[in-house]
Amino acid sequence: MKRSAARNAAKILTLEDARKRAERILPRVLFDFVDGGAGDEITLRENRRVYDDVSFRNRVAAVPLEVDLSAKVLGAELSLPVILAPVGPIRLVYPDGDRATMRAAGAAGTAAILSTAAGTPLDDVIAATTGPAWFQLYFRGGRAGAEEMVESAQRAGYGALFVTLDVVGGTMQTERIRHQVDKLARLRGETGLDSAIPLGLNVRNAVVFAPELVRHLRWTMGYVGDGVPTKFASADPKYLEEPAKGSKPAYNSVTWADMDWIREVWKGPLVAKGVLTGEDARRAVDHGVDGILVSNHGGRYLDGVTSTLKALPEVRSAVGDSIQVLVDGGIRRGSDVVKAIALGADAAVIGRAYAYGLAAAGEAGVKRVIEIFRREMTWAMKSLGRVSLAEIDETAIDASKLFPARSHTD
Ligand SMILES: Cc1cc2nc3c(=O)[nH]c(=O)nc-3n(C[C@H](O)[C@H](O)[C@H](O)COP(=O)(O)O)c2cc1C
């Protein structure tokens, strides 16, 4: 398995290679779940497309011999400003995926953020790395559930807490998988609009998905070999599982009062994930956060919200230099990271990009993806004549197409 994973990783030269491999390997419903977005996928496409609207202002005859990509983010020294996002079902993507991801991040000198919806206990995941490990909190099970998760994360040694603020309900609106989800829902006798995502492998799911499981035998064998993980593992299941019909929803959306409470309970760096406007950014600062992750959940919740790169300068100018600002969504190239830094980010966070690598070649695939980012960033920095991230500012780019009202000459 290890040797073939290394061979598969070596075949990945760009993120698009990794995505194509993931598409071949994963059962359709799982690939679509990872790859897809909400509604008509307008925000999903925009997240990616806006990077094309930013061009570089390169410098000639000024190529530095070495470039330094290191960054200090939320108190951690990273070898490059590319952090792995919380992706809940990562253990479905590849056997032991939560630990593989954390290990790959540590080996590459960067951080990974473990999701509340992870399939592996917090202690086991952090034990897989000597690098920085961070935790993402969903407010499942209200304050009681949140308190248990925050305390476990603190006890286990997670160095920063990301509170996801942009979800309003439990079911993700990834419409590409509706046809399959609906088939299951009808089998369960549910005909409403709120059918849940079929995470688990049970008899009913197996029947519906049998042709897909056979067509993707390598994935199926891996999943079975991993013990058929179907459960969330970050806290007591009573907080995490979908509640019985008719009872209160498991996801409570977080309020600013909850943020104040989390600020009291959590001692380390606290980050608001999902902020897209200057007003909310200032508000988050008023409630004591140490960082903001400009995010629209990879275009998976409210289709039609702004792309993250477009929101970034507004958020940065609202908070000034008082806190760190990270950005995620659509980042698929090292050059994208450089553009994001030029527009005010301290670091970039990648979700699908590493999930594709993981699907294609496990831990080696995630490492490969990070190394592609490192290589492409180095190339861009050299061409821009910039030695360190501190030297990247708006003069490195022309963003006048994205922001017609402002340009580098303003
Ligand atoms: C399959 C999938 C699962 C995700 N699960 C979570 C999650 O559990 N918690 C969370 O805060 N964000 C989750 N996200 C959002 C990511 O953390 C991140 O915001 C997003 O993937 C960034 O966009 P990108 O995939 O284009 O890089 C998920 C994203 C994907 C694609």
Side-chain angles (χ1 to χ4, degrees):
M1 187 88 163
K2 266 227 155 102
R3 195 143 10 104
S4 74
R7 260 203 315 274
N8 287 333
K11 292 177 194 152
I12 302 171
L13 299 177
T14 67
L15 261 296
E16 194 46 34
D17 292 341
R19 181 176 177 275
K20 285 200 184 111
R21 291 191 155 263
E23 187 170 17
R24 275 204 300 276
I25 289 164
L26 298 177
R28 184 90 237 155
V29 67
L30 185 52
F31 177 76
D32 281 348
F33 180 65
V34 171
D35 193 62
D40 295 315
E41 302 189 338
I42 299 165
T43 298
L44 175 75
R45 280 192 302 276
E46 275 295 286
N47 271 352
R48 172 86 219 98
R49 193 199 59 77
V50 286
Y51 281 92
D52 297 347
D53 276 354
V54 178
S55 52
F56 286 121
R57 291 162 45 79
N58 68 319
R59 277 186 193 152
V60 294
V63 180
L65 286 177
E66 295 284 334
V67 298
D68 176 10
L69 300 183
S70 67
K72 191 162 182 184
V73 183
L74 304 171
E77 299 286 352
L78 308 182
S79 75
L80 82 171
V82 177
I83 294 152
L84 308 188
V87 170
I90 210 69
R91 192 167 174 172
L92 298 185
V93 168
Y94 199 85
D96 207 11
D98 295 310
R99 293 197 303 164
T101 298
M102 197 53 86
R103 246 194 318 266
T110 191
I113 309 164
L114 183 73
S115 164
T116 287
T120 313
L122 270 63
D123 287 318
D124 295 352
V125 178
I126 201 167
T129 182
T130 51
W134 300 337
F135 185 67
Q136 173 265 325
L137 183 71
Y138 276 139
F139 235 60
R140 287 200 81 130
R143 284 199 188 177
E147 186 160 20
E148 179 172 323
M149 280 182 261
V150 170
E151 279 174 1
S152 319
Q154 212 141 237
R155 237 187 347 262
Y158 286 82
L161 185 71
F162 287 65
V163 183
T164 301
L165 300 172
D166 57 6
V167 297
V168 291
T171 308
M172 294 208 194
Q173 305 297 313
T174 37
E175 289 199 355
R176 266 194 241 173
I177 65 167
R178 286 311 301 247
H179 52 292
Q180 279 151 312
V181 174
D182 287 350
K183 199 178 335 172
L184 276 171
R186 280 194 303 276
L187 276 177
R188 274 196 233 113
E190 296 168 11
T191 50
L193 283 169
D194 245 346
S195 41
I197 307 253
L199 264 184
L201 188 65
N202 52 38
V203 175
R204 204 158 24 201
N205 292 4
V207 169
V208 171
F209 293 128
E212 278 296 289
L213 296 178
V214 172
R215 211 172 299 138
H216 297 91
L217 254 192
R218 185 171 130 200
W219 179 88
T220 306
M221 307 279 284
Y223 182 61
V224 172
D226 197 28
V228 193
T230 58
K231 299 266 182 276
F232 299 128
S234 59
D236 189 315
K238 73 171 182 275
Y239 297 124
L240 299 171
E241 300 304 327
E242 286 302 322
K245 272 227 187 96
S247 58
K248 269 174 59 180
Y251 274 94
N252 305 58
S253 33
V254 186
T255 64
W256 291 112
D258 292 327
M259 280 301 272
D260 289 337
W261 171 78
I262 293 169
R263 183 63 288 181
E264 302 260 302
V265 185
W266 174 259
K267 308 292 178 239
L270 179 66
V271 180
K273 178 176 189 278
V275 170
L276 289 171
T277 65
E279 301 93 276
D280 276 347
R282 262 191 299 270
R283 200 152 194 194
V285 171
D286 290 344
H287 289 268
V289 302
D290 306 286
I292 283 175
L293 172 46
V294 178
S295 173
N296 52 31
H297 219 105
R300 296 167 74 78
Y301 272 95
L302 178 59
D303 194 26
V305 292
T306 179
S307 65
T308 46
L309 190 67
K310 208 159 180 193
L312 176 60
E314 178 182 322
V315 168
R316 172 53 88 194
S317 69
V319 301
D321 287 331
S322 60
I323 58 164
Q324 290 202 299
V325 175
L326 316 181
V327 64
D328 75 19
I331 297 167
R332 303 284 184 274
R333 290 266 182 197
S335 52
D336 297 342
V337 179
V338 176
K339 290 174 184 178
I341 291 173
L343 284 168
D346 290 293
V349 179
I350 57 169
R352 293 180 183 85
Y354 84 84
Y356 300 143
L358 184 73
E363 184 183 334
V366 179
K367 279 194 203 139
R368 182 80 171 184
V369 164
I370 300 170
E371 292 320 313
I372 290 171
F373 273 96
R374 197 191 308 279
R375 185 168 183 276
E376 291 179 350
M377 274 195 82
T378 303
W379 186 256
M381 299 265 293
K382 284 194 171 182
S383 305
L384 293 169
R386 305 302 207 277
V387 176
S388 69
L389 303 184
E391 292 183 0
I392 303 173
D393 57 17
E394 275 202 60
T395 63
I397 55 167
D398 176 355
S400 56
K401 202 165 167 195
L402 191 56
F403 303 104
R406 31 187 277 180
S407 78
H408 68 275
T409 49
D410 281 352

